[in-house]
Amino acid sequence: MGYNLLKGKRGIIFGALNDMSIAWKVAEKAHEEGALITLSNTPVACRMGEVVELGKRLNAEIIPADATSVHDLENVFTKSMDVLGGKIDFVLHSIGMSLNVRKKRLYHDLDYNFLDKTLDISAISFHKMLQVAFKMDAVSEGGSVLALSYVAAQRTLYGYNDMADAKALLESIARSFGYIYGREKKVRVNTISQSPTVTTAGSGVKGIDGLIDFSDRMSPLGNASADDCANYCITLFSDLTKKVTMQNLFHDGGFSSVGMSQRAMSQYEKSFDCDCQD
Amino acid sequence: MGYNLLKGKRGIIFGALNDMSIAWKVAEKAHEEGALITLSNTPVACRMGEVVELGKRLNAEIIPADATSVHDLENVFTKSMDVLGGKIDFVLHSIGMSLNVRKKRLYHDLDYNFLDKTLDISAISFHKMLQVAFKMDAVSEGGSVLALSYVAAQRTLYGYNDMADAKALLESIARSFGYIYGREKKVRVNTISQSPTVTTAGSGVKGIDGLIDFSDRMSPLGNASADDCANYCITLFSDLTKKVTMQNLFHDGGFSSVGMSQRAMSQYEKSFDCDCQD
Amino acid sequence: MGYNLLKGKRGIIFGALNDMSIAWKVAEKAHEEGALITLSNTPVACRMGEVVELGKRLNAEIIPADATSVHDLENVFTKSMDVLGGKIDFVLHSIGMSLNVRKKRLYHDLDYNFLDKTLDISAISFHKMLQVAFKMDAVSEGGSVLALSYVAAQRTLYGYNDMADAKALLESIARSFGYIYGREKKVRVNTISQSPTVTTAGSGVKGIDGLIDFSDRMSPLGNASADDCANYCITLFSDLTKKVTMQNLFHDGGFSSVGMSQRAMSQYEKSFDCDCQD
Amino acid sequence: MGYNLLKGKRGIIFGALNDMSIAWKVAEKAHEEGALITLSNTPVACRMGEVVELGKRLNAEIIPADATSVHDLENVFTKSMDVLGGKIDFVLHSIGMSLNVRKKRLYHDLDYNFLDKTLDISAISFHKMLQVAFKMDAVSEGGSVLALSYVAAQRTLYGYNDMADAKALLESIARSFGYIYGREKKVRVNTISQSPTVTTAGSGVKGIDGLIDFSDRMSPLGNASADDCANYCITLFSDLTKKVTMQNLFHDGGFSSVGMSQRAMSQYEKSFDCDCQD
């Protein structure tokens, strides 16, 4: 039913957990568009029934890896090239986790060991992935590497905590490595800054429901869904975007370019009508 | 009572209308900091009692001008240099007006003659001011030229209408001319992107009260006032900022770097508590 | 040979002049991807043999229009819907011209009548196009409108003159109208900020050759060509990017995110080796 | 000789090493403007004759600290409040170091232990400083905290290596903590993105001389010096900028807003005149 946009391409998808995951949707769409893929996630996640099921359905080998381990990442690329029969054409990095968020440490009371982990898992893993691939020459010329980000990298959102800093670091790594990978191998490296999405990963962030509602009313097209995001990823993996690199691309229904919308303001103004109830 | 930051400097302030105007506050502070200034506004505004009064109090000549008239602007610079006794060290452009806003034409139903006027008065007047000054060599080396802008130049705000486009154009002119004026005469050109401010000019914008409240709750330091803005302008006219140019400087209590604040969200969430009342 | 990405879609392409034009390439690709299109340009351009030829080859009606004329634009949309058999799904605005550039007026010696024309032709025409389409309800829900821009909207480039301001205005209009068109009709409005491209239009800009060389060496993937740009436009017209709006998308081989590249610096440093020759 | 802009204020300056350091110049200017200050640097640096000398000259206690140690930072704030007689009004963070740069590890061959150190020393230290100060309530209401950054946080510069990522992280921390510190204590947190400056710290970066020349020719006002930067810092510590927060402020003679200058292009074009010599 697709367009064959990725026909004959080989890809690795990191981070598919369940059918709420963006990575999950990307895996499905990539398959639909003709790509051969492998899936990678943490060893624990890879043993989950749903991921195993997805792998079967998409005929995709599942390769467990701790994304902070250079050794594990080398294994993912080696095995993927082996299984898929050649160099990799596209990679999705959809990985992020903050123990500070999980353990409810506020941003002005961070645990610095947790912060190190947040940065390592959510951002430095992207550098490791790129460096491993670069050293192994595992990505084919003109290939495309994507990571998922969020507007918190540019603007502080109450409760997003140290993940904001991780996303800023992630986007910087995309630029820094994108310069080198582009220069040496014509490989594109970009980030997509996605609407807040109800995923298992996102659900720990404080006040996420109010934020998703606000974000939706601010965005003229409403929040972008995981499905929408998967579609966008496909275009960026395709051969039609070969000169797009080192960019952070907002995929958010317009949110990032709105200061105040009529819909959000009209909701906001209701809050004053009922001050008596406070 | 000041710091003598502008001691011996000569300045021109465009746009002081009454004591709610930012330009009015800048005029007062500049005077307090030791500057000699002239004031300019439209002929109608210049005949108003308050402006006449301000001129007397600050010992500042009032020079009427239509800021869209090259001829009038030449007159302002000529007279100012004459009255103040030398080249001009700093200039403030605080001028903006939209007939589309005034006549309640929506952005998707613009009157294009009005749009031309909006751009001419609110943005191109800045180019004319700079070009006149440049050709007359009226600004001293190391001088500083400022215009007032708003975040609508980067992000759409419901109701701000074609003024958003005018501000984007204004900021572009600051960069474009700043490059030349810096290269040729070491003159700085910048814009300040100020919090929404209750001024006579701002009061026509639709939904401005709700917006000011939201903006205040979003900004960790609250909205910046006209007084605050005047202080900031002084630093940018002073000799301490001689290498700052071609910049749009947000002076907004942090608004521009906030995606969602605790205070704004907590107000926003109240709106849902009373949906029954709708 | 394409992917059928635009199968059954109806589009209008403004600005195809000859086979160096980006709009020309977009027209060809859109046709290849299954779209039905009309072409529009100035009456003079529409009489040129090449444009007539292109129209025939792509089976595309050519509809002359002065893009600054609301009346002419209404005619383009009316005729296009008539000829193509329904509402329009995508529009390309590839229009820009500066008499100040052509007549070699420097940026600090602008002719203000020319400036008005620059802005009207290169930027306000985009608003008129959008307003006409909006009022006629001529674009189908989920449609996509694109305009071509340049990084001069963010950073001053020697010689680009008042076109920089026009591009800043153009990008602002895309945001401002994109908010409304998205909210009301789910129509996307974006700009692509394209590498400097050797087109007939671009050839008047001073020092364009040196700039294109520098830009190419700065960009890890090299400058994006008109062909590359056409591919990118296709993705943005397709159904795979339905949540991307109000964005300025850099399509430039990475240029916009590079401060200094190894290739450009190594060329730059050669300039010092031969100072004796000056 | 100053303006008394910091009269009666208490400050801590991190990172003064020798008279090429920006922090050194800031210390001198702050003293000149009436502030009482303490100086902090690594234990090794604090034993250097020049730093000791500076301390004596400015009547400033020198407090050694490893800026990655929460304990050491607590000591700096405790001692500074003790010595200076009250809460701190301003803080400068001028700290950065990359072992990858020093050991000539390229960006696509990073040592990840070195990267952790780069981030810890150059960016996370800023969070630690802020968190320590916040928890101790060591900064007075309306205080100002500044860190020094570089445009590499936005645009990749060949050879700047993992310091680019560190600066991106630093700027993100300034926003994230600026939001909280502003909301809770009206404390401003900003970064200054300074021209490349010939300091001891900067001298290890590959190709720094060519870059400084290019940057100077690109900037209409030329590169900003350490002295210029110190002046700018003073304005941001003063009471005249109380509503500026969460910003990254370019202090670079215009560099960040220039795509190509006449001066840089004219130098660049010389490189082609002598290709025969290659």
Side-chain angles (χ1 to χ4, degrees):
Chain A
M1 287 293 302
Y3 303 96
N4 278 318
L5 271 166
L6 305 184
K7 194 176 178 184
K9 292 198 186 293
R10 304 174 191 95
I12 307 176
I13 310 290
F14 287 88
L17 186 66
N18 56 41
D19 66 1
M20 295 168 76
S21 316
I22 293 172
W24 185 283
K25 303 291 188 181
V26 175
E28 290 181 330
K29 294 268 177 191
H31 179 259
E32 194 180 314
E33 290 295 333
L36 301 170
I37 59 169
T38 57
L39 300 167
S40 181
N41 210 323
T42 58
V44 171
C46 287
R47 282 192 295 270
M48 289 173 61
E50 292 165 282
V51 178
V52 173
E53 192 67 32
L54 180 71
K56 274 184 197 156
R57 183 154 53 87
L58 306 185
N59 197 24
E61 179 111 357
I62 298 168
I63 310 169
D66 169 357
T68 67
S69 155
V70 167
H71 174 268
D72 283 14
L73 291 168
E74 285 167 349
N75 185 51
V76 173
F77 279 95
T78 303
K79 281 227 175 111
S80 295
M81 288 193 289
D82 191 38
V83 167
L84 303 177
K87 289 195 190 180
I88 305 306
D89 297 298
F90 62 91
V91 179
L92 178 73
H93 177 285
S94 176
I95 300 171
M97 201 276 293
S98 162
L99 281 178
N100 281 304
V101 169
R102 287 200 186 174
K103 306 285 189 187
K104 304 202 185 304
R105 299 289 299 247
L106 296 177
Y107 189 74
H108 48 294
D109 182 35
L110 290 189
D111 177 298
Y112 289 111
N113 289 322
F114 291 174
L115 175 60
D116 286 350
K117 280 208 167 54
T118 299
L119 299 181
D120 202 14
I121 294 171
S122 313
I124 297 173
S125 63
F126 193 48
H127 190 285
K128 289 175 179 168
M129 200 173 280
L130 287 159
Q131 183 160 305
V132 161
F134 186 88
K135 287 188 174 184
M136 294 173 67
D137 196 12
V139 178
S140 57
E141 194 164 304
S144 175
V145 183
L146 273 181
L148 295 184
S149 192
Y150 183 45
V151 67
Q154 285 76 39
R155 299 184 214 156
T156 303
L157 291 115
Y158 161 62
Y160 200 68
N161 211 314
D162 60 346
M163 279 302 295
D165 301 332
K167 291 304 193 190
L169 182 59
L170 177 78
E171 294 181 11
S172 178
I173 288 169
R175 284 189 296 273
S176 298
F177 218 112
Y179 163 66
I180 289 174
Y181 226 148
R183 185 187 73 196
E184 300 296 327
K185 302 280 179 182
K186 302 293 171 209
V187 171
R188 294 160 275 166
V189 185
N190 296 288
T191 50
I192 292 180
S193 186
Q194 162 72 6
S195 292
T197 315
V198 186
T199 63
T200 307
S203 64
V205 175
K206 202 172 167 181
I208 189 76
D209 290 341
L211 186 67
I212 286 179
D213 177 274
F214 175 74
S215 176
D216 191 66
R217 287 183 210 262
M218 284 285 276
S219 310
L221 302 178
N223 288 332
S225 69
D227 265 313
D228 294 327
C229 188
N231 282 331
Y232 194 38
C233 289
I234 298 303
T235 69
L236 291 162
F237 290 149
S238 83
D239 288 343
L240 300 175
T241 54
K242 286 214 160 181
K243 292 291 186 163
V244 178
T245 196
M246 302 175 75
Q247 302 300 314
N248 179 48
L249 299 157
F250 289 100
H251 181 260
D252 61 1
F255 178 83
S256 51
S257 295
V258 175
M260 181 42 76
S261 73
Q262 192 178 31
R263 281 206 305 146
M265 183 47 81
S266 118
Q267 183 65 32
Y268 186 72
E269 283 179 338
K270 285 185 200 170
S271 68
F272 299 103
D273 295 340
C274 50
D275 269 356
C276 51
Q277 301 189 335
D278 287 300
Chain B
M1 288 290 300
Y3 302 98
N4 278 318
L5 270 166
L6 304 184
K7 196 177 175 182
K9 291 198 185 296
R10 303 174 192 95
I12 307 176
I13 310 290
F14 287 87
L17 186 68
N18 57 40
D19 65 2
M20 294 168 77
S21 317
I22 293 172
W24 184 283
K25 303 291 187 182
V26 174
E28 290 181 330
K29 293 269 176 190
H31 179 258
E32 194 179 314
E33 289 296 333
L36 301 170
I37 60 168
T38 58
L39 299 168
S40 181
N41 210 324
T42 58
V44 171
C46 287
R47 281 192 296 270
M48 288 171 63
E50 292 166 283
V51 178
V52 174
E53 193 66 33
L54 180 72
K56 274 185 195 156
R57 183 151 54 84
L58 304 185
N59 197 25
E61 180 109 358
I62 298 168
I63 310 169
D66 170 355
T68 68
S69 155
V70 167
H71 174 268
D72 283 14
L73 291 168
E74 285 167 349
N75 184 50
V76 173
F77 279 94
T78 304
K79 280 229 174 110
S80 294
M81 288 195 287
D82 190 38
V83 167
L84 303 176
K87 287 193 191 181
I88 304 306
D89 298 299
F90 63 90
V91 179
L92 178 73
H93 177 285
S94 177
I95 300 171
M97 201 276 293
S98 162
L99 280 178
N100 281 305
V101 169
R102 287 200 185 175
K103 306 286 189 188
K104 304 199 185 308
R105 301 289 297 248
L106 296 176
Y107 189 75
H108 47 294
D109 181 35
L110 288 189
D111 177 299
Y112 289 111
N113 289 324
F114 291 174
L115 175 60
D116 286 350
K117 281 208 166 51
T118 299
L119 299 182
D120 202 14
I121 294 172
S122 313
I124 297 173
S125 63
F126 193 49
H127 190 285
K128 289 176 178 167
M129 200 174 280
L130 287 159
Q131 183 161 305
V132 160
F134 186 87
K135 288 189 174 181
M136 295 174 67
D137 196 11
V139 177
S140 56
E141 195 165 304
S144 176
V145 183
L146 272 180
L148 296 183
S149 192
Y150 183 44
V151 68
Q154 284 77 39
R155 298 185 215 156
T156 303
L157 291 115
Y158 161 62
Y160 199 69
N161 211 313
D162 60 347
M163 280 302 295
D165 300 332
K167 291 304 193 189
L169 183 58
L170 177 79
E171 294 181 12
S172 179
I173 288 170
R175 283 189 296 274
S176 299
F177 218 114
Y179 163 66
I180 289 175
Y181 225 148
R183 185 188 73 194
E184 300 296 327
K185 302 281 178 181
K186 303 293 171 208
V187 171
R188 293 161 275 166
V189 185
N190 296 288
T191 50
I192 292 180
S193 186
Q194 162 70 7
S195 291
T197 315
V198 186
T199 62
T200 306
S203 63
V205 176
K206 200 171 168 182
I208 189 77
D209 290 341
L211 185 67
I212 286 179
D213 177 275
F214 174 75
S215 176
D216 191 65
R217 288 183 209 261
M218 283 285 276
S219 310
L221 302 178
N223 289 331
S225 69
D227 265 311
D228 294 327
C229 187
N231 282 330
Y232 193 39
C233 291
I234 297 304
T235 69
L236 291 162
F237 290 150
S238 83
D239 288 343
L240 300 175
T241 54
K242 286 214 161 182
K243 293 290 186 163
V244 178
T245 197
M246 303 175 74
Q247 302 301 313
N248 179 47
L249 299 157
F250 289 100
H251 182 259
D252 61 1
F255 178 83
S256 50
S257 295
V258 175
M260 181 40 76
S261 73
Q262 191 177 32
R263 280 206 305 145
M265 183 46 80
S266 119
Q267 183 65 32
Y268 186 72
E269 284 179 338
K270 284 185 200 170
S271 68
F272 300 102
D273 295 341
C274 50
D275 269 357
C276 50
Q277 302 188 336
D278 287 302
Chain C
M1 290 287 302
Y3 303 97
N4 277 319
L5 271 166
L6 306 183
K7 194 175 175 184
K9 291 197 186 295
R10 304 174 191 95
I12 307 176
I13 310 290
F14 287 88
L17 187 67
N18 57 40
D19 65 1
M20 294 168 77
S21 316
I22 293 172
W24 184 283
K25 303 290 187 182
V26 174
E28 291 181 329
K29 293 268 177 192
H31 179 259
E32 193 179 315
E33 290 295 333
L36 300 171
I37 60 168
T38 58
L39 299 167
S40 180
N41 210 324
T42 58
V44 171
C46 287
R47 283 192 294 271
M48 290 172 61
E50 292 166 282
V51 177
V52 174
E53 192 67 33
L54 180 71
K56 274 183 196 158
R57 182 153 54 84
L58 305 185
N59 196 24
E61 178 110 357
I62 298 169
I63 310 168
D66 170 356
T68 67
S69 155
V70 168
H71 174 268
D72 283 13
L73 291 168
E74 285 167 348
N75 185 50
V76 173
F77 279 95
T78 304
K79 280 228 174 111
S80 295
M81 287 194 289
D82 191 38
V83 167
L84 303 176
K87 287 195 192 181
I88 304 305
D89 298 298
F90 62 90
V91 179
L92 178 74
H93 176 285
S94 176
I95 300 171
M97 200 277 292
S98 162
L99 281 178
N100 281 305
V101 169
R102 287 201 185 174
K103 306 286 188 188
K104 304 201 186 306
R105 298 289 299 247
L106 297 177
Y107 189 74
H108 47 294
D109 181 35
L110 289 189
D111 177 299
Y112 289 111
N113 289 323
F114 291 174
L115 175 60
D116 286 349
K117 280 208 166 53
T118 300
L119 299 182
D120 202 15
I121 294 171
S122 314
I124 297 172
S125 63
F126 193 49
H127 190 285
K128 289 176 178 168
M129 200 174 281
L130 287 159
Q131 183 161 305
V132 160
F134 187 88
K135 288 188 173 183
M136 296 174 66
D137 196 11
V139 177
S140 55
E141 195 164 303
S144 175
V145 183
L146 272 181
L148 295 183
S149 192
Y150 183 44
V151 68
Q154 284 77 38
R155 299 184 213 156
T156 302
L157 290 115
Y158 161 62
Y160 200 68
N161 211 314
D162 60 347
M163 278 304 293
D165 301 333
K167 290 304 193 190
L169 182 59
L170 178 78
E171 294 181 10
S172 179
I173 288 169
R175 282 188 298 274
S176 298
F177 218 114
Y179 163 66
I180 289 175
Y181 226 148
R183 186 187 72 196
E184 301 295 327
K185 303 280 179 182
K186 302 294 171 207
V187 171
R188 294 160 276 165
V189 185
N190 296 288
T191 50
I192 292 180
S193 186
Q194 161 71 7
S195 292
T197 315
V198 186
T199 63
T200 307
S203 64
V205 176
K206 201 172 168 181
I208 189 76
D209 291 340
L211 185 67
I212 286 179
D213 177 275
F214 174 75
S215 175
D216 191 66
R217 288 183 210 262
M218 283 286 275
S219 310
L221 302 178
N223 289 331
S225 69
D227 265 313
D228 294 327
C229 189
N231 282 330
Y232 194 38
C233 290
I234 297 304
T235 69
L236 291 161
F237 290 149
S238 83
D239 289 342
L240 300 176
T241 55
K242 285 214 161 181
K243 293 289 186 165
V244 178
T245 196
M246 302 176 73
Q247 301 302 313
N248 179 48
L249 299 157
F250 290 100
H251 181 259
D252 61 1
F255 178 83
S256 50
S257 295
V258 175
M260 181 41 77
S261 73
Q262 190 177 33
R263 281 205 305 145
M265 183 47 80
S266 120
Q267 183 65 31
Y268 186 71
E269 283 178 338
K270 284 185 199 170
S271 69
F272 300 102
D273 295 340
C274 50
D275 268 357
C276 51
Q277 302 187 335
D278 286 302
Chain D
M1 289 291 301
Y3 302 98
N4 278 319
L5 270 166
L6 305 183
K7 195 175 177 185
K9 291 196 186 296
R10 303 174 193 94
I12 307 177
I13 310 290
F14 287 88
L17 186 68
N18 57 41
D19 65 1
M20 294 167 78
S21 317
I22 293 172
W24 185 283
K25 303 291 188 182
V26 174
E28 290 181 331
K29 292 269 176 191
H31 179 259
E32 194 180 314
E33 290 295 334
L36 301 170
I37 59 168
T38 58
L39 299 168
S40 181
N41 211 324
T42 58
V44 171
C46 287
R47 283 193 295 271
M48 289 171 62
E50 291 165 281
V51 178
V52 173
E53 193 64 35
L54 180 71
K56 275 185 194 154
R57 184 153 54 84
L58 305 185
N59 196 26
E61 180 109 357
I62 298 168
I63 310 169
D66 171 355
T68 67
S69 155
V70 167
H71 174 268
D72 283 14
L73 291 168
E74 285 167 349
N75 185 51
V76 172
F77 279 95
T78 304
K79 280 228 173 109
S80 294
M81 288 194 288
D82 190 38
V83 167
L84 303 177
K87 288 194 190 181
I88 304 306
D89 299 298
F90 62 90
V91 179
L92 179 73
H93 176 286
S94 176
I95 299 171
M97 200 275 294
S98 162
L99 280 179
N100 282 306
V101 168
R102 285 200 187 174
K103 305 287 189 186
K104 305 201 185 305
R105 300 289 298 249
L106 296 176
Y107 189 75
H108 47 293
D109 181 34
L110 289 190
D111 177 299
Y112 289 111
N113 289 322
F114 291 175
L115 175 60
D116 286 349
K117 280 207 167 53
T118 300
L119 299 181
D120 202 14
I121 294 172
S122 311
I124 297 172
S125 63
F126 193 49
H127 190 285
K128 289 175 178 169
M129 200 174 279
L130 287 159
Q131 183 161 305
V132 161
F134 186 88
K135 288 188 174 183
M136 296 173 66
D137 196 11
V139 178
S140 57
E141 195 165 303
S144 175
V145 183
L146 272 180
L148 295 183
S149 192
Y150 183 45
V151 69
Q154 285 77 38
R155 298 184 214 156
T156 303
L157 290 116
Y158 162 61
Y160 199 69
N161 211 315
D162 60 347
M163 280 303 294
D165 301 332
K167 291 304 193 189
L169 182 58
L170 178 78
E171 294 180 12
S172 179
I173 288 170
R175 283 189 298 272
S176 299
F177 218 113
Y179 163 66
I180 289 175
Y181 225 149
R183 184 187 73 195
E184 300 295 327
K185 302 280 179 181
K186 302 293 171 207
V187 171
R188 294 160 275 167
V189 185
N190 295 288
T191 50
I192 292 180
S193 186
Q194 161 72 7
S195 291
T197 315
V198 186
T199 62
T200 306
S203 64
V205 176
K206 201 170 167 182
I208 189 76
D209 291 341
L211 185 67
I212 286 179
D213 177 275
F214 174 75
S215 176
D216 191 66
R217 288 183 210 262
M218 283 285 276
S219 310
L221 302 178
N223 289 331
S225 69
D227 265 312
D228 294 326
C229 187
N231 282 330
Y232 193 38
C233 290
I234 298 303
T235 69
L236 291 162
F237 291 149
S238 82
D239 289 342
L240 300 175
T241 55
K242 286 212 160 183
K243 293 289 186 165
V244 178
T245 197
M246 303 175 74
Q247 301 302 313
N248 179 48
L249 299 157
F250 289 99
H251 182 259
D252 61 2
F255 178 84
S256 50
S257 296
V258 175
M260 182 40 77
S261 73
Q262 191 177 33
R263 281 207 305 145
M265 183 46 82
S266 119
Q267 183 65 32
Y268 186 73
E269 284 179 338
K270 284 185 199 170
S271 69
F272 300 102
D273 295 341
C274 49
D275 269 356
C276 53
Q277 300 189 337
D278 288 300

